[in-house]
Amino acid sequence: MTRTLKDTDRDRTAERLLKSSANKFYDPDVDIDWDAPLVEGKRFILDERSSLYGTELWDKLTPEQRIELGKHEVASVATTGLWFEILLMQMLLKEVYEEDPTTAHAQFALTEIADECRHSTMFARMASRIGCPAYGPVPLLRRFAKLMPSFSYGPARYGAILVAEEVLDRLQREQMVSEDVQPLVRMVNRIHVLEEARHVTFAREEVTRGMAKLSKAEIVYQQFIIALISYFVTRAFINPNVYKAVGIRPRDGVKAALENPKWQGTIAWAGEKIMPFLQESGLVGWPGRYFWRKSFLLPKGK
């Protein structure tokens, strides 16, 4: 007998998201003018979202250097985002491999993979267009990520994806409406924000359903794993080598950024939408509290 999930809430959500995907999507190759010149003097990120904003190192930079640092930081975030997308696609492909492809749930997973392929290409093209290298995460984190399939599963895996997507989403929503930011960066952000909204809905529902099936012992494990992965997610956004672009030693830049209250505040602000959801779902608990605080997503005392 052919298995069907058409009458379940899971599939109804997937059907709705499939309709949205058909009605609202972008093709970055067509919808972005990659040949348009960059605007002289325009920033690539808002100053206050730079990892060094408010530090002594920032104060020593010229206005031109601050723009240059922002350019490399946005390239770091984009190419790290590309890395996140690839990890997500690997996970979704493994799930689809085990599912009935005639279900709406499996078909939306395939649709999301197609979206992420376009996003990955878009992020790579943007980094190249603005003249920056593909920073991505540091080598140690790349190696660590290869182990993820062996120790992460279920709600923690989807929850960690949500942390990466929703932290990035909040930063991009702010940038895409600012006239102070380069038009190219604004358009890339706009496309990603629109299409990631569907992915966030999909992942949130997977977290909620998954948590309802877990034993108390599994929940403890899930709470630790999502906190550990989320810690590495927030650390990955800014590659230490971006600081070389403005003559700052990477270790000095990293130290200043991690000790910078304004950068810590930016991460906490970017996580304000996802953290209440994770707390309500039961994924934030004492087993991971140390890593949540080190990630800056959970302020001290909470």
Side-chain angles (χ1 to χ4, degrees):
M1 179 182 292
T2 302
R3 182 170 62 89
T4 177
L5 297 176
K6 289 183 179 179
D7 294 329
T8 67
D9 289 340
R10 192 188 202 201
D11 235 41
R12 281 197 290 269
T13 296
E15 287 172 355
R16 175 169 57 82
L17 295 174
L18 280 168
K19 290 178 182 177
S20 175
S21 298
N23 293 330
K24 297 179 182 179
F25 73 95
Y26 285 94
D27 182 348
D29 287 336
V30 175
D31 295 310
I32 295 178
D33 184 359
W34 294 103
D35 295 324
L38 298 174
V39 181
E40 189 73 25
K42 285 267 188 184
R43 289 165 170 72
F44 293 82
I45 61 172
L46 299 176
D47 282 354
E48 59 267 31
R49 298 306 176 199
S50 172
S51 61
L52 296 184
Y53 181 77
T55 66
E56 290 184 10
L57 290 176
W58 176 266
D59 292 340
K60 294 176 181 178
L61 297 177
T62 65
E64 292 75 21
Q65 286 177 314
R66 292 172 181 176
I67 291 175
E68 185 70 9
L69 176 61
K71 181 176 77 172
H72 285 265
E73 286 183 323
V74 81
S76 176
V77 170
T79 53
T80 299
L82 187 160
W83 171 71
F84 289 147
E85 308 280 28
I86 291 172
L87 292 175
L88 171 58
M89 286 188 280
Q90 290 175 339
M91 184 196 78
L92 289 173
L93 282 168
K94 287 182 179 180
E95 292 204 1
V96 171
Y97 188 80
E98 302 294 336
E99 287 199 29
D100 177 353
T102 66
T103 65
H105 185 267
Q107 290 169 20
F108 181 74
L110 290 169
T111 300
E112 182 169 343
I113 291 166
D115 288 344
E116 302 298 14
C117 282
R118 293 195 304 274
H119 296 168
S120 296
T121 302
M122 178 174 70
F123 288 153
R125 288 193 69 176
M126 184 184 76
S128 175
R129 177 65 186 85
I130 65 178
C132 291
Y135 285 108
V138 297
L140 180 63
L141 187 52
R142 283 185 181 274
R143 290 194 291 272
F144 170 75
K146 290 181 180 180
L147 301 175
M148 276 184 59
S150 65
F151 64 79
S152 71
Y153 67 94
R157 183 183 289 177
Y158 274 104
I161 289 167
L162 281 168
V163 170
E165 289 184 339
E166 296 212 39
V167 167
L168 183 57
D169 178 83
R170 194 151 200 217
L171 291 167
Q172 289 182 324
R173 283 180 185 274
E174 181 184 55
Q175 305 281 357
M176 76 183 194
V177 297
S178 174
E179 295 290 342
D180 294 329
V181 174
Q182 290 281 348
L184 172 62
V185 176
R186 293 175 62 194
M187 189 59 185
V188 167
N189 287 345
R190 185 174 294 112
I191 289 174
H192 194 246
V193 162
L194 174 69
E195 297 189 338
E196 284 300 316
R198 295 188 289 265
H199 305 172
V200 165
T201 297
F202 186 73
R204 282 189 175 223
E205 295 209 4
E206 289 300 305
V207 167
T208 300
R209 291 190 193 95
M211 288 298 290
K213 301 175 183 178
L214 298 180
S215 67
K216 290 182 179 180
E218 284 181 304
I219 288 174
V220 169
Y221 179 75
Q222 295 279 311
Q223 288 174 338
F224 174 77
I225 291 300
I226 187 175
L228 177 66
I229 297 174
S230 296
Y231 163 78
F232 285 111
V233 165
T234 61
R235 288 292 191 272
F237 281 121
I238 304 300
N239 186 298
N241 289 318
V242 302
Y243 301 115
K244 291 181 180 178
V246 290
I248 295 173
R249 287 193 307 178
R251 66 182 180 184
D252 293 339
V254 170
K255 183 176 185 296
L258 293 180
E259 294 176 355
N260 182 8
K262 293 189 181 299
W263 176 242
Q264 294 176 17
T266 285
I267 298 298
W269 168 81
E272 281 180 352
K273 285 181 64 179
I274 184 56
M275 290 306 294
F277 169 77
L278 296 178
Q279 288 170 319
E280 290 168 11
S281 71
L283 271 174
V284 178
W286 65 265
R289 198 166 300 278
Y290 170 82
F291 287 107
W292 281 123
R293 288 175 177 166
K294 295 289 285 185
S295 72
F296 309 135
L297 290 167
L298 189 66
K300 293 179 181 179
K302 292 190 176 181

